[in-house]
Amino acid sequence: MKKMTIYGCFLVVTMLSCNKPDIRLDNPNDALRPAAEFARNNYAFSLLSAAIVKAGLEEELNKPGALTMWAPTDAAFNRIGIRSPADFDNYDTESLRQLVLNHVQPGKLMVESIPLGSVNNRYDNAAGNNSWLARIDITAVPTNPNRTIRAYVNGAQVGIDNRYNIPLSNGIFHEISEVLKYEDASVREWLEKKGHYKVLIAGLKHFGYWDMLTDDKQWTIMAPADSIFERQGMTVESVTELDTAVYGKRLFGAYIFPVRFFVSDLGLFKLKLFVGSGATVELGVYTPIMGDESFSNGITPIIGRFNGPGFFVNKTFPQESWDMVYTYAVSYPDYRSNWSRSNHLTRNGCIHHLDGVVLLPYQAHD
């Protein structure tokens, strides 16, 4: 098992079933079950169990040894459109094996073993890909004795309702909030494959960013779908007709961060900046826009009327005032209906669906 730890800092880049028992913590009088059997006998994981069986992994996951199972609930599968075992018929066997094995980690890992106050703890999973673990104190008041500490794997929360560190006969079992999303593709390949990011792709190409998104770096892409751009009158045709000598690169550079992050990481990456008249703003991530560095893009947990994180562009700090240009809410783990649209991990980065257009052309007219 390989592990790499990067401690957190502010990012600046200059059905209930009567014959199945409910989940329970260890009882010394109970015989422990192996991973696949444990999932099969707990109603909250019936879809995970069906995936394990259909992928032909039941025997492998019941073998003696030591493993860690990151276990999405049925509700998590429902959020990606899987509501019954028959829905797995849309997967070929190898794809389904990869999906399941992305949730299995060699070795037994207790949540408390993840360093507190850190993200980007890298582990190898059984599919041969990386899992990225974080453990964050999200207590609003650090001196509060009732601290709230959460763990995450690839942006999915570990242990909803404290269901984690459940012992197995062959390892440890943790409930997680979401199905882990990984594709062995670059961020460019991922966007092209989905088919509904044509306007974003056209803009990234037209303003010179597309060829920059290479595999030798890690990126985060905030991605509005075509329908969101089109509601603002922005189409592939209109975007490619814009004069790049007149419109600033920030018009589409704003959707790129030159570093990979999961939205859950923003609970650790915080910095309060004074913005005039004694007011402060708390930033999660904030970077100058490549090629248009007099402007920056960022995400903050609370902006104005938004009860949640805001994605924004403004004049790069330090400036004379908090000069916000435009703001929309971004998909974020606290918004459960949007979880399935965030934290899409690829070979060279992460893509999060964005619920709005951050800049309109007139706002980037130089």
Side-chain angles (χ1 to χ4, degrees), residues 11 120 132 218-220 257-262 265 345 349-350:
L11 284 181
N120 286 339
W132 300 95
Q218 290 287 311
W219 309 90
T220 296
F257 289 94
V259 62
R260 187 207 68 242
F261 61 84
F262 300 103
D265 296 343
L345 184 63
C350 205

Side-chain angles (χ1 to χ4, degrees), residues 207 242-250 361-366:
F207 284 86
L242 293 172
D243 186 346
T244 57
V246 174
Y247 293 92
K249 291 173 72 70
R250 62 187 177 277
Y362 80 88
Q363 295 168 305
H365 194 286
D366 289 337

Side-chain angles (χ1 to χ4, degrees), residues 38-251:
F38 183 90
R40 180 169 58 84
N41 284 280
N42 283 275
Y43 71 87
F45 302 104
S46 64
L47 291 175
L48 173 62
S49 178
I52 291 171
V53 172
K54 184 172 177 58
L57 290 168
E58 194 169 22
E59 182 178 353
E60 182 174 341
L61 296 181
N62 280 336
K63 286 180 180 178
L67 60 80
T68 298
M69 172 68 78
W70 307 108
T73 62
D74 287 357
F77 278 105
N78 293 166
R79 282 191 285 275
I80 63 168
I82 296 174
R83 300 187 178 277
S84 74
D87 291 324
F88 290 118
D89 293 342
N90 296 321
Y91 291 77
D92 61 69
T93 301
E94 184 55 32
S95 295
L96 196 56
R97 281 180 60 87
Q98 288 293 307
L99 184 149
V100 172
L101 292 176
N102 271 319
H103 294 79
V104 179
Q105 186 173 303
K108 180 178 176 180
L109 182 73
M110 306 288 282
V111 164
E112 293 79 10
S113 300
I114 306 169
L116 182 60
S118 68
V119 299
N120 286 339
N121 297 283
R122 185 182 69 192
Y123 291 80
D124 297 330
N125 64 37
N129 302 315
N130 293 325
S131 295
W132 300 95
L133 276 59
R135 188 160 165 256
I136 301 169
D137 185 346
I138 64 167
T139 309
V141 180
T143 57
N144 188 335
N146 299 315
R147 300 171 71 191
T148 301
I149 296 173
R150 290 182 181 170
Y152 298 88
V153 54
N154 290 5
Q157 186 177 334
V158 178
I160 306 298
D161 298 325
N162 294 319
R163 292 185 289 200
Y164 61 92
N165 289 349
I166 302 171
L168 305 168
S169 65
N170 62 346
I172 201 79
F173 190 98
H174 308 291
E175 175 184 312
I176 60 174
S177 63
E178 295 301 313
V179 177
L180 302 183
K181 300 177 283 290
Y182 175 80
E183 290 193 29
D184 186 19
S186 68
V187 293
R188 292 187 298 193
E189 292 166 342
W190 190 95
L191 290 168
E192 289 180 319
K193 178 180 178 182
K194 297 306 172 186
H196 49 265
Y197 295 105
K198 294 183 177 67
V199 179
L200 177 62
I201 292 170
L204 294 175
K205 289 180 177 179
H206 189 59
F207 284 86
Y209 290 106
W210 190 250
D211 291 340
M212 295 173 57
L213 302 177
T214 55
D215 271 14
D216 60 337
K217 295 181 180 179
Q218 290 287 311
W219 309 90
T220 296
I221 309 298
M222 313 304 292
D226 291 339
S227 59
I228 294 174
F229 278 111
E230 289 163 358
R231 283 200 294 268
Q232 300 294 336
M234 298 175 71
T235 65
V236 170
E237 292 75 16
S238 69
V239 164
T240 54
E241 290 173 358
L242 293 172
D243 186 346
T244 57
V246 174
Y247 293 92
K249 291 173 72 70
R250 62 187 177 277
L251 184 60

